[in-house]
Amino acid sequence: MDLRKSELRGLINRQSLICLLLMVTILVQIINGIEGEITINDAIKFALFPLSFLYCCILAPNFLLKNNYENTFLKFLIYPGIFLSLITLITSFITALSYGGIDLTTLQTAQFNIVHGLFDSNYQGAVVAVSSVVCIYLLFKNKGNKLYYSLILMVNILNLIVLASRASLLSLALCIIIAIIVYGSRKIKFLLLSGVAICGILYCYYNNSIKLSPIFYYNIFDAERGSTGRIDIWKEILQKSTQKVFTGNGNNTLEITSLDLHNNLSSSHNSFIDFFAINGGIVLILYLIVLLIGVFKSFNHAKESAVFLVFICIFVLMNFTTHNLGGVSYVPQILGILLGIIFIHVKKKSK
């Protein structure tokens, strides 16, 4: 509320690339509306998403940094994830019992039949992964409450396995590796490399045995057969997008017809492909530049604050599981706040 005009101009200048990305996105949608690809009404409504994202990238991060609330904000993100995990697991266990037994197959079936309609698995995976990545950071940095954060992390990981959310599990694996590299001692780093080597050898040796459990193997390991049709979806969207390479096809124009099961899909669940199909190549290039700058900045400051570690890991997650700026989940806005903190962050002077 006490932000002066000069401060606001400074924030916008330091985040000029983000502002450019969002403004060009709005302009492209209006062009598509004028050309008749979408209605003007839809184009104007879509403009609200980048504007809300602009708020998340500039004003919210400034408030958090100004009041030293960034770590408090991250701790707050733990609770939506564990809340969703508990609801999903409890409901899935109760439903699985009615199917005659509890195993991974019945739990995943129960989750898809009952919980998926209430809490979409893709968005839930993103929310739970945000929660889990923060827990991993706190386990590495905090001396107290390790048991508390470990329990939350275990429940979240179990939920991600039931959800068969590969990208979310990938973000956790990435987080653990980066956390060990950034915060771990030489002994821990040696153990990490040894563990990776041993796991690789065991996986190669027991590869055929793992495949004996098809639902686990195909949903977690096999990207082609366990992708719920995403490979075919991505191919179809890319083929349709080649007609309008620069400005895209417009918002709410993606229709998937290659798989009967996914006729109602309006997103590829891959923000790179979504940006290209909806907004065109120009916006995609700006988007890549902004996110890559964010990742490089995060690597440089990962030791200073949890924000940077979280952003590196969730960056991988977001691009494979969530829509771009217009998703119904809170995850795009959370990522906007994290991105904003990274762009306006001033490295604290060492005492």
Side-chain angles (χ1 to χ4, degrees), residues 24-42:
V24 171
T25 303
I26 294 171
L27 178 62
V28 164
Q29 291 301 319
I30 293 174
I31 290 172
N32 284 322
I34 293 172
E35 292 181 348
E37 299 293 336
I38 56 176
T39 65
I40 289 291
N41 188 40
D42 281 342

Side-chain angles (χ1 to χ4, degrees), residues 59-346:
L59 298 180
N62 178 65
F63 169 78
L64 293 172
L65 288 169
K66 204 171 184 179
N67 295 281
N68 296 317
Y69 287 159
E70 59 264 43
N71 286 327
T72 303
F73 168 72
L74 285 174
K75 288 181 181 178
F76 174 77
L77 295 181
I78 291 175
Y79 299 104
I82 187 62
F83 174 73
L84 288 176
S85 291
L86 289 172
I87 288 179
T88 298
L89 291 173
I90 291 170
T91 305
S92 298
F93 270 96
I94 293 173
T95 307
L97 284 172
S98 67
Y99 292 163
I102 295 178
D103 54 36
L104 186 60
T105 304
T106 55
L107 284 172
Q108 289 186 334
T109 303
Q111 182 275 136
F112 186 80
N113 290 339
I114 306 297
V115 183
H116 181 75
L118 299 173
F119 304 105
D120 181 270
S121 300
N122 296 294
Y123 284 122
Q124 186 179 161
V127 174
V128 173
V130 172
S131 170
S132 303
V133 170
V134 178
C135 283
I136 291 171
Y137 170 81
L138 293 173
L139 284 171
F140 271 89
K141 295 297 288 184
N142 280 18
K143 293 182 179 179
N145 295 324
K146 287 187 179 293
L147 178 61
Y148 176 69
Y149 294 122
S150 297
L151 288 173
I152 292 177
L153 182 61
M154 288 171 61
V155 173
N156 281 346
I157 290 174
L158 178 59
N159 186 32
L160 291 177
I161 292 173
V162 171
L163 294 174
S165 183
R166 290 171 304 281
S168 303
L169 289 169
L170 172 64
S171 71
L172 297 192
L174 176 66
C175 179
I176 292 172
I177 292 170
I178 293 176
I180 290 174
I181 292 172
V182 174
Y183 309 114
S185 62
R186 288 184 180 180
K187 184 178 179 180
I188 293 177
K189 291 175 185 177
F190 173 77
L191 290 174
L192 169 66
L193 291 174
S194 302
V196 170
I198 292 170
C199 288
I201 294 169
L202 289 174
Y203 175 75
C204 293
Y205 185 78
Y206 290 107
N207 190 24
N208 292 329
S209 300
I210 293 174
K211 289 182 180 178
L212 293 176
S213 176
I215 194 164
F216 183 78
Y217 180 82
Y218 292 141
N219 279 343
I220 302 299
F221 291 104
D222 193 318
E224 182 72 31
R225 297 185 61 179
S227 64
T228 58
R230 280 190 176 88
I231 303 298
D232 292 327
I233 292 168
W234 294 346
K235 287 179 181 177
E236 180 181 345
I237 292 176
L238 288 173
Q239 286 173 355
K240 291 180 177 179
S241 303
T242 54
Q243 298 174 355
K244 294 195 69 179
V245 174
F246 294 106
T247 58
N249 297 309
N251 192 43
N252 294 328
T253 58
L254 296 182
E255 294 180 0
I256 314 302
T257 58
S258 58
L259 298 173
D260 292 337
L261 183 64
H262 300 285
N263 274 338
N264 295 322
L265 280 182
S266 59
S267 168
S268 65
H269 296 296
N270 182 313
S271 65
F272 293 135
I273 294 175
D274 271 12
F275 259 102
F276 177 65
I278 295 172
N279 304 299
I282 297 173
V283 173
L284 175 61
I285 291 170
L286 283 172
Y287 179 65
L288 288 172
I289 292 172
V290 167
L291 287 178
L292 287 174
I293 289 173
V295 169
F296 286 126
K297 283 178 176 285
S298 295
F299 272 112
N300 290 333
H301 300 294
K303 284 190 176 181
E304 292 177 37
S305 172
V307 171
F308 300 98
L309 180 68
V310 172
F311 181 80
I312 296 170
C313 303
I314 303 304
F315 164 74
V316 174
L317 162 78
M318 182 185 75
N319 288 297
F320 289 96
T321 60
T322 67
H323 304 290
N324 45 60
L325 305 184
V328 295
S329 167
Y330 82 144
V331 174
Q333 283 67 38
I334 295 300
L335 288 166
I337 293 174
L338 294 175
L339 185 64
I341 289 175
I342 287 162
F343 266 72
I344 67 176
H345 175 79
V346 177

